[in-house]
Amino acid sequence: MCDSLGVIPVSRFGNEIGHEEIKINHRFLKEMGTKAIASVLLGNKTTSKLHVAFNELNIKGGIYMGKLLSKNRALTELNLANNNIKREGIVAIAEALPSNTVIRKLDLSGNGLGEKDAALLAEGIENNSSLHCLNLSYNKFSEESGVSFGTALTYNNSLLELNLSWNHIRRRGAEAISKSLRYNDSLENLDLSWNGFDDTGTAELGESLKRNSALRELNLSNNRISDEGIKNIAKGLEGSKKLEVLILNHNLIFNACQGVNKLLEMLHKNGAPAMKILAILDIKLDQDCETLLAKVLENRSGLTVHHGCKKSDCFVSKKKETNPFDFLKIYLDKNKIHASDLFKRLDPDCQFRDSLSRVEFIDGMKRLRVMSDFYLDKLVEILDEDGDGEIDYSEFVKMS
């Protein structure tokens, strides 16, 4: 197949043909390499998991993957993250979803998808009955995208986990997604962090939380939510029976902790009885809130509250310093690669060199989105301890 297409075969794919899971991430397959793989797997009945992230599939590669989804009835997991799939490629994938009855997990994160792509995907999601886990993070979805996904969630009753983090969903889009939770009775895990929900979105979300009977984990970190927004959520949680994890880290809380106080009062009165984890990091708590928090934790032994702020005079205890190598390990484990593989991918020419400059190292790490800039700066300081401006390959691998 590779010879007929004029493609240099990927040895890992050849070795894994027929295996239940095939992983060929970061191999620069591009369009023709993807065509070869899709052609081989069209009639394959043994491979159920395919990972082809970071391969520059582009539009045509997306079309080949769409054809694979429409005809293959063995694939249950497909990872297409960070492949620059757009336009016709997304059309092919979206059109394959309604007729596909076996796909369970789909990752389209980091593909630069926008409003038109959202409308196409939303229609496919709405009419699909098998998909359980969908990752759409790190795209360019904004207000209209939220409206499209809100409609899809209203009618879809198979999706269990949805990741929409690191997008630009706000205003009408935030309201639409929030309203959909009144009707959706399947979604258990929803990640909306790093969007722009603010208080407008939480007004509808609070009403939905009163009625929703499925949601177990909700992440609203970094959404510009103020005291009023937290109050909306607290009011909704009074009627929540299933929510176990609520993450509200790094939001903008004003007016002396009134919102957090309402949240803690609700928990103290045994509202949200299933709640196991509440995260409110980097939100200022005054002494009254801290006192109430202590009472909540005393009464609810099964509840863990992650809290802390950066002000030195804050009553709450400081947040534990995070080691940048923790984020590095998470990235390596998630992508199932060794530190040496990561180092070689940071720069096209680095696989033949023993070191990288600070600039080359930082640019590569940012491109691969290994960790935030804050922790990346810390990592570089540790790795370049002698200050010569070079990151040594052997030292990086050893410390990782």
Side-chain angles (χ1 to χ4, degrees), residues 63 111 129 138 160 244 250 255 257 265 326 378:
I63 293 174
N111 276 291
S129 59
Y138 288 97
L160 302 177
E244 298 177 358
H250 317 300
N255 301 325
C257 303
E265 285 180 355
D326 293 340
K378 286 191 171 187

Side-chain angles (χ1 to χ4, degrees), residues 2-251:
C2 290
D3 290 338
S4 65
L5 294 173
V7 177
I8 299 175
V10 178
S11 60
R12 178 172 292 186
F13 178 63
N15 295 334
E16 295 183 3
I17 289 178
H19 290 190
E20 180 183 358
E21 185 170 16
I22 295 177
K23 297 179 181 179
I24 40 178
N25 302 320
H26 298 276
R27 296 288 168 170
F28 297 101
L29 296 174
K30 298 191 175 180
E31 298 166 358
M32 298 310 293
T34 309
K35 183 178 182 179
I37 290 170
S39 299
V40 170
L41 293 178
L42 276 178
N44 186 287
K45 296 181 180 180
T46 55
T47 298
S48 61
K49 301 175 183 179
L50 176 62
H51 304 266
V52 285
F54 293 94
N55 274 298
E56 287 297 321
L57 304 190
N58 299 313
I59 293 173
K60 288 187 178 180
I63 293 174
Y64 299 137
M65 286 293 108
K67 290 180 179 178
L68 180 62
L69 276 175
S70 66
K71 296 182 179 180
N72 180 287
R73 289 299 176 263
L75 276 181
T76 60
E77 294 187 15
L78 179 59
N79 184 351
L80 297 173
N82 294 280
N83 275 304
N84 199 30
I85 300 174
K86 295 179 181 177
R87 298 190 291 277
E88 292 87 348
I90 290 298
V91 171
I93 292 170
E95 289 182 346
L97 288 177
S99 62
N100 189 305
T101 58
V102 296
I103 191 70
R104 298 287 184 269
K105 187 174 182 179
L106 178 62
D107 190 340
L108 288 168
S109 61
N111 276 291
L113 307 179
E115 308 287 50
K116 293 181 180 179
D117 303 310
L120 293 166
L121 287 171
E123 186 174 352
I125 296 166
E126 181 179 335
N127 295 291
N128 177 278
S129 59
S130 64
L131 195 60
H132 289 169
C133 180
L134 178 62
N135 188 347
L136 296 174
S137 62
Y138 288 97
N139 281 295
K140 297 179 180 178
F141 299 131
S142 54
E143 188 169 353
E144 291 304 317
S145 300
V147 174
S148 298
F149 291 132
T151 301
L153 289 174
T154 298
Y155 296 102
N156 178 284
N157 284 306
S158 64
L159 203 60
L160 302 177
E161 182 176 340
L162 175 61
N163 188 344
L164 283 168
S165 65
W166 291 90
N167 280 289
H168 312 287
I169 300 172
R170 57 197 65 184
R171 293 186 290 270
R172 291 198 311 121
E175 290 179 325
I177 290 176
S178 297
K179 285 181 180 178
S180 72
L181 298 178
R182 300 174 195 176
Y183 312 103
N184 184 288
D185 58 4
S186 65
L187 197 64
E188 296 180 354
N189 189 326
L190 179 59
D191 190 345
L192 296 167
S193 60
W194 292 93
N195 279 283
F197 261 55
D198 61 47
D199 298 340
T200 304
T202 60
E204 294 294 345
L205 180 61
E207 290 298 316
S208 294
L209 288 175
K210 295 177 183 177
R211 310 183 198 181
N212 185 279
S213 60
L215 201 62
R216 295 180 182 275
E217 183 169 341
L218 177 62
N219 190 340
L220 287 168
S221 297
N222 295 85
N223 265 287
R224 302 184 302 177
I225 300 172
S226 77
D227 265 331
E228 285 304 312
I230 300 295
K231 289 178 184 177
N232 293 334
I233 294 172
K235 190 173 182 180
L237 286 175
E238 291 175 357
S240 174
K241 304 298 182 185
K242 291 289 186 70
L243 195 68
E244 298 177 358
V245 179
L246 176 61
I247 305 174
L248 296 169
N249 298 330
H250 317 300
N251 277 295

Side-chain angles (χ1 to χ4, degrees), residues 267-278:
L267 292 171
H268 190 239
K269 295 175 181 177
N270 291 318
M275 185 77 70
K276 296 178 181 177
I277 296 175
L278 171 65

Side-chain angles (χ1 to χ4, degrees), residues 361-388:
F361 182 82
I362 290 173
D363 286 348
M365 293 287 277
K366 285 184 176 181
R367 176 172 51 82
L368 297 177
R369 297 184 181 131
V370 179
M371 64 185 70
S372 70
D373 292 353
F374 176 80
Y375 288 105
L376 180 55
D377 289 342
K378 286 191 171 187
L379 179 65
V380 171
E381 290 301 322
I382 295 172
L383 293 173
D384 187 24
E385 188 175 5
D386 59 4
D388 66 352

